[in-house]
Amino acid sequence: MDERLENQNLSEDEHIKNKSDFLRGTIKESLNNPLTGALDPDDIKLIKYHGSYQQYDRDLDSERKMQKLEPLYQFMVRVRAAGGITSPQQWIALDELSDKYGNGTMKLTTRQSFQFHGILKRDLKLTIQAINETLLSTLATCGDVNRNVMCNPNPYQSEIHEEVYKLAAEISDYFLPKTTAYHEIWLNKEKVAGATDVEPLYTEHYLPRKFKIALAIPPNNDIDVFANDIGLIAVEENNRLKGFNFCVGGGLGSTFGEKATYPRLADIIGFVEKNKVIEVAETVIAIQRDFGNRQDRKNARFKYTIDKRGLEWFVNELHTRLGWEIESSRPYNFTTNGDEYGWVKGTNGKWFYTLFVEHGRVKDEEGYQLKTALRELAGVLQGDFRLTGNQNLIITNVEEKDKEAIESILLEKGVFNNPKHTGLRKNSMACVALNTCGLAFAEAERYLPSLIDKMDEIMRKNGLEDDEINIRMTGCPNNCARSSLGEIGFVGRAIGRYNMYMGASHNGDRLNTLYKEMLSEEAILEEIEPIISAYSKEREEGEHFGDFVIRKNIVEITDRPVKVLS
Ligand code: SRM
Ligand code: SF4
């Protein structure tokens, strides 16, 4: 074992990684054990690096217990698609897989990935193989490594978008684990005799915790760049990509009652030329590898490494390791962290349609046949599908002559110009939560739509039905739908009870703060009605809701702003 780690009181996860033989563990044997639908406990942790979580159907839990059955174990599988780009052929294949092995739905996640739920152990390998056959992968979508790299998905806006996307894909590939365990376990590749794994960056210990990178192109912050361990803000010069403002130390998860855990936005430490970005990112990751907390996972994210040692210490360490200093940051301006819906003509003359997908769940319901519509559309689409960081979908590169056909497919299935899609709803996000997420205290994705129905009545009464207030709900403070960046944020405390937060900026550069705790639906509506009414009457020209509640002292402004090093 590495000398630095030998004398530390390492967390259990560290021991599991260290003895896993580069993430192999006994996953193969666990998969073949017919006596249980579950994996061996260590393999449950290791399988995350391969892109899957063991879960169980929480709705059926008490019924199964009464019948003296083990929980209905099932697996979530997350698919890596850097920048969220997939071809129509890949879409069709994934759609088929969700029916064949999953619960018949797909989830477009807040990090531009696909998730399948409800896969049984016996089908897990077949599912992962089939995903790889589409030339997508699940490797490193979870686990203590760099995850799916996010990137502004709007290719129509300028030429630099394509260049930034290519860099996102390069970063995503560059930081993949190098172990061949994935190929051996899932793709039946033989280990070359005598070959040993080498993980030049991660080593056999991997990182202390998950690591996330995202690239934003102003004025859109639709991937919430400051929520990432490394955030890159594109800087243009004469319509060409020059480089990035480099941000470090974002992360939103926390634990109720544990003050040492908190959401934190990334700080801007300077500007880096585009061809140096990977070098700097690799050095940053190595610093977190070497100094991150490996004893307490709740304090192991990079944001805590920075806060514990200080931003100045970190920048010094970075410069020493690089052997050169990064430049001062450049001016930038974000206007929104939301998506721009509807048709937009791209710089290439083709059309792009951003479609609202409520909380990213691709499914069919009566009068709203989204899954069928998208499958049909994939059969005729010449361009590709791009997942947004707000759980939505962009249908890209449509010829003028094909627009009508696309609209009629969507219209026929009830997903085009749906009158329920108000300003509030279209700016809402919710995490998965129940029934699959083992960490959920309360509903999110399955509940927020009905709360919005009720809030929309209030919005309508005040003439605000088209107003874009961003509203986010998560079933726990891990913050997977980035509730801390909601102008209105709800975080589940218990079934039917939420903490309510307000006052985040509309462009994702300011966290919200706590307004009231443990609110029921009735209490939420009672609290929000007078605030919305006041907002409609007393807001200043162009003032966003998050700014209004701070100006009116309804909530305090966050004491954790984004720092900019000069
Ligand atoms: Fe997340 C864990 C779902 C984005 C912070 N997240 C989980 C797990 C795997 C629960 C678990 O550990 O057992 C959830 C699976 C639920 C399920 O049934 O599918 C889960 N996270 C999601 C997704 C699917 C939410 C969604 O509805 O879209 C998102 C998948 C992203 C992807 O494609 O990779 C998702 N998670 C996020 C984000 C948002 C982001 O990255 O921009 C965050 C906040 C940012 C951050 O990382 O700080 C986030 N997830 C967490 C955390 C808290 C980490 C922390 O530092 O404290 C956990 C729990 C953990 O890691 O221990 C977690
Ligand atoms: Fe689960 Fe909590 Fe993440 Fe929601 S925020 S998906 S409840 S871990």
Side-chain angles (χ1 to χ4, degrees):
M1 190 190 289
D2 187 323
E3 258 178 52
R4 270 176 306 110
L5 301 180
E6 242 168 35
N7 301 322
Q8 288 189 30
N9 191 8
L10 297 178
S11 71
E12 189 205 342
D13 286 60
E14 292 298 321
H15 290 293
I16 295 173
K17 280 184 263 184
N18 291 340
K19 63 179 188 205
S20 72
D21 185 17
F22 292 92
L23 309 180
R24 288 176 182 80
T26 56
I27 295 176
K28 268 190 185 171
E29 293 74 11
S30 265
L31 287 172
N32 290 331
N33 178 357
L35 298 177
T36 166
L39 300 178
D40 187 78
D42 285 6
D43 297 328
I44 295 175
K45 305 255 183 189
L46 292 173
I47 204 172
K48 297 181 187 180
Y49 296 79
H50 300 252
S52 179
Y53 269 72
Q54 180 176 304
Q55 305 181 318
Y56 61 94
D57 188 331
R58 293 182 62 184
D59 287 347
L60 299 179
D61 202 29
S62 40
E63 193 184 317
R64 304 267 305 180
K65 270 190 191 131
M66 262 161 40
Q67 292 171 353
K68 300 210 169 5
L69 293 170
E70 71 172 17
L72 183 56
Y73 291 117
Q74 52 185 36
F75 292 81
M76 175 271 269
V77 171
R78 195 177 280 167
V79 181
R80 171 182 281 268
I85 302 190
T86 40
S87 68
Q89 295 73 25
Q90 286 169 328
W91 184 279
I92 292 170
L94 295 181
D95 177 273
E96 280 170 9
L97 280 178
S98 71
D99 289 335
K100 192 167 174 189
Y101 300 125
N103 66 0
T105 74
M106 295 195 284
K107 171 91 176 176
L108 314 184
T109 76
T110 54
R111 290 194 73 79
Q112 299 175 295
S113 312
F114 291 88
Q115 272 189 195
F116 299 110
H117 291 101
I119 295 166
L120 298 178
K121 188 171 87 169
R122 62 162 190 259
D123 295 327
L124 189 56
K125 187 165 170 176
L126 294 169
T127 307
I128 293 180
Q129 277 177 348
I131 290 167
N132 278 271
E133 276 160 23
T134 71
L135 302 183
L136 294 167
S137 170
T138 65
L139 174 62
T141 49
C142 318
D144 298 340
V145 283
N146 179 53
R147 307 285 187 89
N148 196 38
V149 175
M150 292 180 84
C151 165
N152 179 303
N154 301 325
Y156 50 79
Q157 283 174 332
S158 74
E159 263 117 53
I160 79 156
H161 281 72
E162 211 51 38
E163 205 179 340
V164 172
Y165 163 69
K166 282 198 182 115
L167 181 63
E170 197 183 329
I171 295 173
S172 176
D173 285 350
Y174 188 86
F175 292 120
L176 280 175
K178 306 289 180 271
T179 171
T180 54
Y182 183 83
H183 302 85
E184 291 159 29
I185 296 170
W186 308 104
L187 308 177
N188 298 333
K189 300 263 160 65
E190 290 292 323
K191 189 171 183 197
V192 179
T196 46
D197 284 291
V198 184
E199 290 281 16
L201 174 61
Y202 294 132
T203 74
E204 71 270 36
H205 314 299
Y206 293 87
L207 297 179
R209 207 60 165 87
K210 57 174 72 164
F211 200 91
K212 299 181 174 179
I213 302 180
L215 296 82
I217 306 169
N220 288 90
N221 184 21
D222 44 13
I223 47 85
D224 273 327
V225 73
F226 299 111
N228 288 268
D229 297 275
I230 292 179
L232 300 168
I233 304 173
V235 174
E236 280 180 60
E237 213 173 76
N238 304 324
N239 295 328
R240 304 203 70 91
L241 178 67
K242 179 97 177 98
F244 296 86
N245 282 330
F246 206 99
C247 315
V248 296
L252 301 183
S254 67
T255 306
F256 284 135
E258 294 198 22
K259 284 226 160 63
T261 69
Y262 45 82
R264 181 192 196 278
L265 293 188
D267 299 316
I268 305 179
I269 57 165
F271 168 84
V272 175
E273 298 279 344
K274 61 182 175 184
N275 57 0
K276 298 261 180 61
V277 160
I278 291 192
E279 180 190 353
V280 178
E282 185 164 19
T283 312
V284 170
I285 294 175
I287 295 174
Q288 162 66 353
R289 177 198 64 205
D290 297 343
F291 291 98
N293 185 335
R294 290 183 185 263
Q295 293 151 21
D296 176 6
R297 288 183 67 75
K298 288 202 167 135
N299 244 264
R301 286 294 291 272
F302 181 40
K303 59 181 173 180
Y304 302 120
T305 313
I306 291 183
D307 280 350
K308 187 171 162 206
R309 292 173 184 267
L311 193 57
E312 285 67 27
W313 168 87
F314 166 74
V315 174
N316 272 338
E317 181 69 21
L318 178 65
H319 287 163
T320 309
R321 288 190 184 209
L322 285 171
W324 52 273
E325 294 197 0
I326 59 177
E327 297 170 30
S328 303
S329 62
R330 309 282 163 89
Y332 71 96
N333 179 36
F334 284 131
T335 52
T336 176
N337 60 355
D339 289 338
E340 198 185 323
Y341 293 98
W343 287 110
V344 185
K345 196 170 190 178
T347 45
N348 63 0
K350 297 199 176 154
W351 288 89
F352 297 78
Y353 186 78
T354 303
L355 178 73
F356 170 61
V357 178
E358 194 158 37
H359 312 327
R361 187 61 70 174
V362 178
K363 63 180 176 186
D364 281 342
E365 276 176 355
E366 216 187 311
Y368 184 75
Q369 305 287 104
L370 177 65
K371 191 155 185 276
T372 309
L374 293 173
R375 191 170 49 231
E376 208 172 296
L377 211 142
V380 295
L381 185 66
Q382 305 293 318
D384 51 38
F385 288 106
R386 301 199 175 198
L387 278 49
T388 81
N390 289 307
Q391 303 176 316
N392 296 312
L393 188 65
I394 308 182
I395 298 156
T396 77
N397 287 308
V398 176
E399 301 279 357
E400 173 85 43
K401 66 176 174 47
D402 298 331
K403 270 174 78 185
E404 218 179 292
I406 303 247
E407 280 182 17
S408 68
I409 294 176
L410 297 174
L411 198 63
E412 195 189 307
K413 303 289 184 299
V415 291
F416 191 72
N417 287 348
N418 190 319
K420 280 191 83 177
H421 295 174
T422 56
L424 191 63
R425 196 178 300 274
K426 287 200 294 191
N427 284 278
S428 66
M429 287 214 288
C431 73
V432 179
L434 295 162
N435 65 325
T436 54
C437 179
L439 307 179
F441 297 128
E443 296 280 356
E445 180 194 323
R446 298 195 298 189
Y447 167 58
L448 187 56
S450 68
L451 179 65
I452 289 180
D453 285 344
K454 291 168 189 143
M455 288 178 70
D456 264 344
E457 283 174 29
I458 302 173
M459 294 287 280
R460 263 189 212 102
K461 256 199 335 222
N462 288 283
L464 299 179
E465 62 269 36
D466 294 327
D467 261 62
E468 301 192 339
I469 300 176
N470 89 41
I471 170 168
R472 295 171 172 190
M473 176 177 277
T474 55
C476 84
N478 282 323
N479 238 315
C480 296
R482 300 189 289 270
S483 321
S484 298
L485 285 167
E487 291 179 279
I488 305 176
F490 293 106
V491 176
R493 284 286 297 269
I495 297 295
R497 290 280 189 279
Y498 295 86
N499 283 3
M500 183 171 165
Y501 301 76
M502 286 189 285
S505 59
H506 192 72
N507 69 3
D509 69 357
R510 185 180 66 230
L511 293 167
N512 56 22
T513 51
L514 182 63
Y515 172 64
K516 293 241 162 113
E517 294 189 67
M518 287 294 272
L519 298 182
S520 63
E521 176 175 288
E522 207 186 341
I524 291 171
L525 296 171
E526 243 172 63
E527 293 290 343
I528 203 77
E529 175 136 31
I531 301 174
I532 287 179
S533 163
Y535 176 57
S536 77
K537 295 188 190 89
E538 296 164 35
R539 65 177 159 174
E540 291 173 351
E541 175 86 30
E543 188 176 34
H544 288 292
F545 185 82
D547 300 331
F548 173 80
V549 289
I550 286 174
R551 182 170 63 82
K552 288 285 179 179
N553 293 319
I554 297 169
V555 287
E556 277 175 27
I557 195 163
T558 174
D559 55 3
R560 289 204 178 89
V562 170
K563 289 189 214 85
V564 184
L565 289 192
S566 51

